[in-house]
Amino acid sequence: MVLENLGRNLDNAIRKLRRLPRVDKDAINALIQDLQRALLSADVKVELVFEMTENIKKEAMNTKLQKAKRKDFVISLIHDELVRVLGGKQAPIRIKPGKKNVILLVGIQGSGKTTTIGKLAKFYNSKGYKVATITTDTYRPGAYEQLVQLTKQIPVKCYGNPNEKNALKIAVKETKKALADGHDIILADTAGRHKEEKELMTEMQKIENVLKPNETILVIDGTLGQQAYPQAEEFGKATNLGSIIVTKLDGTAKGGGALSACAATNVPIRFIGVGEKIDAFEEFEATSFVGTLLGIPNLEALIQRVQEAEVVPDPETVKRMMHGKFTLEDLYHQIKNIKKVGKMREILAMMGGGNIPDALKDDAERNIEKWRVVLDSMTQEEKNEPKIIKKTRKRRIAIGSGTEYAVINKMLDQYNQMKKMMKRFLQARKKGKGMPGMPGMGKGAAAFMDKLSKNFKF
Ligand SMILES: Nc1nc2c(ncn2[C@@H]2O[C@H](COP(=O)(O)OP(=O)(O)OP(=O)(O)O)[C@@H](O)[C@H]2O)c(=O)[nH]1
Ligand SMILES: [Mg+2]
């Protein structure tokens, strides 16, 4: 596995957390230390490590989730933070099948450009493109022969002219030939060595100008670790960099540094090289990369569980509700959110105590989708002031939404009960009465309301 040590260390830290009976302050502090150690030994920049772990710590300490969900939540925080520093989601290279597509590889000597041309050729060839490679490297002895040998095994055609000393001329002529031969992706290799660096950069710019590639890709050696940053920056200034390929991530302990440094330049990492062989190559996608790294096979499910558990009433709605401005839409969203967590009964019980009959609770749960249809057939005025919904309006809504009267009636019933309860709650608060004294409100409900009112300061 790429970044094997980092993966193992992160995995150990997560296992340790999972084994603990609960996630408290000490557990979070211990986790943060483990993460810092793991990231620093993968050569991630110190400042970045502290920023990442500070973010994780802050969120982890703040969570109001129930105990059972906290571990998942903290793990998803680690995941999200790693994805963020690795560049997040990115779009693929824009390639138009059957048209002229040119991909230009640049990078310093020995970074792995020529090897990567072979890997890319195999990658696109297997996707059904008519791939050709060209080399414009007039500096490295035997550069043309190296690429010929490499591409022979795929097989894809290699263009070049070992007798021509002008890289620009080769670029123009050979690309033309390759296109005329019916190829639709041309992978162009460039020189990495030159008499001096400035000349190398100038030549690259000129080639870029004449070839007008779909994308210029920087090939960077992963063993550089965080030193990849200044290099990527320099190339970014000289060329119109579209993406980065980080090579030699197999067997380097510094991969974390190289990947995070490249991502910090805001140029996406598209592929990684993980060995000398032609198929030691992977598409890079931060989310799945981090999933593998953390050893969490079913990351999607984990994230979903946490997201669902995070559903809380939106503060604006609660504020309006507490001022007696409670609409049918509010009721709908409240019940919809609660349903998502699968705890409708619990929360309704908490909010309404014994006030809401069981039959009604079940009904709300079963009919929530119908409620949406009903709501869509109502005017804004009706949603805000449901008491104006009398016989005629009801008939119109029933016809418009294709729903029975019973559904509309029950929805309005539910609304009225909720509204009454809010009103009593507000009156009790105004009179300075304590919650437990409120008729029809259970202990849990009182505590819940109290917490809401404190959180939202109404
Ligand atoms: N382990 C490992 N080695 C790699 C990887 N990619 C390239 N290499 C090796 O790195 C060395 C240099 O690779 P080249 O492809 O020749 O590099 P280059 O950028 O074309 O070099 P110049 O043409 O001299 O500028 C070779 O020995 C490759 O086998 C990789 O992902 N992993
Ligand atoms: Mg080369």
Side-chain angles (χ1 to χ4, degrees):
M1 190 179 89
V2 189
L3 306 194
E4 202 165 335
N5 284 336
L6 177 61
R8 198 181 310 116
N9 292 338
L10 292 172
D11 192 43
N12 284 341
I14 287 173
R15 276 171 203 273
K16 212 163 104 186
L17 181 82
R18 283 229 187 267
R19 276 198 303 270
L20 293 175
R22 64 177 176 279
V23 183
D24 54 15
K25 217 170 148 185
D26 288 345
I28 293 171
N29 282 330
L31 171 78
I32 294 298
Q33 275 191 0
D34 286 346
L35 291 180
Q36 287 174 342
R37 234 175 275 134
L39 292 165
L40 287 172
S41 64
D43 195 44
V44 182
K45 207 168 133 194
V46 179
E47 292 86 344
L48 186 58
V49 171
F50 282 104
E51 182 194 313
M52 287 170 76
T53 49
E54 220 16 71
N55 289 346
I56 295 170
K57 188 173 170 176
K58 208 165 72 199
E59 293 278 326
M61 296 279 190
N62 267 341
T63 178
K64 296 199 170 64
L65 285 177
Q66 317 113 291
K67 277 183 203 146
K69 293 279 193 285
R70 259 187 221 167
K71 286 180 190 169
D72 283 348
F73 176 65
V74 173
I75 294 163
S76 79
L77 287 177
I78 301 172
H79 165 268
D80 290 354
E81 222 16 64
L82 284 167
V83 170
R84 185 183 66 83
V85 302
L86 292 180
K89 238 184 157 50
Q90 47 217 232
I93 302 184
R94 276 195 302 270
I95 287 174
K96 296 162 243 128
K99 295 267 163 61
K100 173 200 160 191
N101 297 287
V102 177
I103 297 175
L104 179 68
L105 262 59
V106 298
I108 65 158
Q109 177 186 336
S111 58
K113 291 178 299 299
T114 309
T115 312
T116 306
I117 289 269
K119 291 174 176 180
L120 275 171
K122 181 150 195 217
F123 176 83
Y124 283 116
N125 187 60
S126 72
K127 290 198 178 296
Y129 288 101
K130 293 188 201 79
V131 182
T133 61
I134 69 165
T135 177
T136 63
D137 185 352
T138 55
Y139 285 85
R140 186 190 222 277
Y144 176 70
E145 196 45 39
Q146 186 196 4
L147 193 58
V148 169
Q149 288 307 324
L150 195 63
T151 48
K152 211 159 67 177
Q153 49 180 309
I154 305 174
V156 304
K157 205 162 167 199
C158 173
Y159 292 79
N161 182 358
N163 301 318
E164 171 63 67
K165 284 283 157 248
N166 185 324
L168 265 182
K169 275 189 186 159
I170 303 178
V172 175
K173 271 195 187 161
E174 301 300 321
T175 304
K176 237 184 216 159
K177 264 196 234 165
L179 289 170
D181 289 346
H183 297 98
D184 58 4
I185 293 190
I186 317 296
L187 304 169
D189 195 5
T190 57
R193 58 192 74 193
H194 231 284
K195 282 195 280 324
E196 47 171 305
E197 202 185 281
K198 184 141 188 344
E199 265 182 67
L200 171 72
M201 293 286 184
T202 317
E203 181 180 286
M204 249 171 24
Q205 284 165 339
K206 284 184 181 160
I207 293 178
E208 195 179 41
N209 275 339
V210 295
L211 287 188
K212 300 201 172 31
N214 298 40
E215 188 146 310
T216 301
I217 307 182
L218 171 65
V219 178
I220 219 162
D221 184 334
T223 59
L224 278 175
Q226 45 180 291
Q227 283 314 309
Y229 186 84
Q231 199 177 103
E233 239 198 344
E234 200 182 327
F235 273 87
K237 277 183 207 146
T239 64
N240 190 14
L241 263 199
S243 59
I244 298 179
I245 295 177
V246 184
T247 62
K248 308 184 195 180
L249 281 180
D250 49 309
T252 172
K254 290 184 169 181
L259 289 171
S260 54
C262 289
T265 60
N266 283 327
V267 177
I269 302 164
R270 291 221 194 274
F271 296 94
I272 53 176
V274 293
E276 297 192 54
K277 294 222 171 72
I278 198 146
D279 44 15
F281 194 52
E282 292 173 11
E283 272 184 277
F284 183 80
E285 206 281 303
T287 314
S288 60
F289 183 79
V290 171
T292 313
L293 200 60
L294 295 183
I296 303 168
N298 196 355
L299 201 69
E300 289 292 310
L302 172 78
I303 291 166
Q304 178 130 9
R305 274 211 312 266
V306 175
Q307 278 171 352
E308 283 173 356
E310 272 174 327
V311 175
V312 284
D314 131 63
E316 273 309 307
T317 312
V318 175
K319 222 190 250 174
R320 271 189 295 122
M321 276 163 54
M322 292 312 184
H323 284 108
K325 291 184 190 108
F326 181 56
T327 71
L328 273 173
E329 283 281 355
D330 291 334
L331 181 70
Y332 168 81
H333 285 297
Q334 208 183 358
I335 288 178
K336 177 118 183 152
N337 277 349
I338 291 165
K339 193 176 163 231
K340 259 202 234 157
V341 202
K343 289 221 161 39
M344 164 100 175
R345 283 171 153 279
E346 267 171 50
I347 300 187
L348 271 184
M350 252 168 77
M351 293 206 55
N355 251 359
I356 301 172
D358 269 356
L360 202 54
K361 281 186 231 166
D362 289 345
D363 187 71
E365 221 162 21
R366 250 185 290 117
N367 286 317
I368 186 77
E369 293 318 320
K370 285 193 192 159
W371 284 21
R372 183 67 261 164
V373 185
V374 173
L375 282 171
D376 287 341
S377 297
M378 287 183 181
T379 63
Q380 198 54 49
E381 197 190 2
E382 286 163 351
K383 285 189 244 182
N384 295 343
E385 285 290 328
K387 65 170 184 269
I388 64 170
I389 305 175
K390 299 273 155 42
K391 240 186 185 161
T392 338
R393 286 181 190 260
K394 235 183 247 174
R395 199 170 65 218
R396 195 207 76 235
I397 296 165
I399 294 169
S401 61
T403 341
E404 310 103 76
Y405 274 96
V407 175
I408 305 173
N409 284 339
K410 280 198 175 151
M411 181 177 171
L412 293 173
D413 249 14
Q414 178 92 333
Y415 171 81
N416 287 331
Q417 295 212 33
M418 210 61 126
K419 180 131 184 157
K420 246 186 245 160
M421 196 186 78
M422 298 282 165
K423 216 167 167 182
R424 278 212 298 273
F425 169 75
L426 287 173
Q427 280 163 357
R429 267 177 65 87
K430 263 191 204 139
K431 286 184 195 152
K433 270 195 203 161
M435 288 308 111
M438 270 186 72
M441 191 176 255
K443 235 183 176 173
F448 180 70
M449 290 293 199
D450 212 30
K451 206 162 119 203
L452 283 183
S453 61
K454 273 192 195 114
N455 278 349
F456 300 117
K457 299 192 179 59
F458 39 75

